[in-house]
Amino acid sequence: MKVIFLDIDGVLNNDGSIQRYGTNLKPDPENVAQLNRVAAAVDARIVVTSNWREQQPLWRIQAILGQVLGVTADIIGMTPDLKRLANLYPEDKHIFWVRPLEIERWLRSNPWVSKYAMIDDHAYKNVGREFCKTDPAHGLTKEIADSIIEFFEV
């Protein structure tokens, strides 16, 4: 099974959609269309890595993404929240090393994943070619979506 680890803010919404709608809860339709195109092209499922998972149970995230935001791919899970580990490293002001650990933990619990990509608008430490960074000004663009499809097809 192929999996897309999905951040939401800066990926499905962007600076323009947030300004236009006055909220981060309404995505840019083009960003959502690109995610749907990627997931359909490579037959991938979605695991949510976004901070949205910290306030909502999985069933609500599935409803928000699918019914409200228009994501058509199956949302099969959320990564564990390991931010408490950041307290171990108080000198590290940015906890950008935590999300890859959360993904690693999820993958260890789900060994059937054959390939995965991580889509996020933040830069992270210790990530490889599977990481696809978006620009929060634009979110998930056609060019980035094309590169993700190409990555899965290799």
Side-chain angles (χ1 to χ4, degrees), residues 33-47:
Q34 292 305 323
L35 176 66
N36 289 338
R37 183 172 71 87
V38 170
V42 302
D43 192 28
R45 309 304 186 270
I46 293 176
V47 174

Side-chain angles (χ1 to χ4, degrees), residues 69-80:
L69 303 186
V71 173
T72 56
D74 290 336
I75 295 110
I76 62 167
M78 302 186 298
T79 53

Side-chain angles (χ1 to χ4, degrees), residues 15 52 80 94 152:
D15 293 347
W52 287 30
H94 301 285
F152 273 114

Side-chain angles (χ1 to χ4, degrees), residues 32-144:
V32 174
Q34 292 305 323
L35 176 66
N36 289 338
R37 183 172 71 87
V38 170
V42 302
D43 192 28
R45 309 304 186 270
I46 293 176
V47 174
V48 175
T49 61
S50 172
N51 291 339
W52 287 30
R53 75 193 193 286
E54 297 167 14
Q55 292 88 28
Q56 307 293 335
L58 178 59
W59 66 268
R60 187 167 286 148
I61 292 286
Q62 290 167 322
I64 291 169
L65 287 176
Q67 297 167 9
V68 179
L69 303 186
V71 173
T72 56
D74 290 336
I75 295 110
I76 62 167
M78 302 186 298
T79 53
D81 181 9
L82 301 180
K83 284 195 181 70
R84 69 185 184 285
L85 293 177
N87 294 331
L88 300 175
Y89 301 95
E91 72 282 355
D92 192 353
K93 301 278 189 245
H94 301 285
I95 55 171
F96 295 133
W97 52 270
V98 174
R99 194 159 286 173
L101 292 177
E102 294 168 339
I103 290 171
E104 182 182 316
R105 173 83 54 90
W106 190 92
L107 286 168
R108 275 187 280 160
S109 299
N110 299 276
W112 56 83
V113 174
S114 59
K115 196 163 192 178
Y116 69 92
M118 173 185 177
I119 308 173
D120 206 305
D121 65 323
H122 292 288
Y124 290 95
K125 298 178 181 181
N126 303 319
V127 292
R129 189 167 178 268
E130 71 279 357
F131 177 64
C132 302
K133 185 180 182 311
T134 62
D135 179 342
H138 306 288
L140 182 57
T141 62
K142 180 183 183 311
E143 294 74 23
I144 294 170

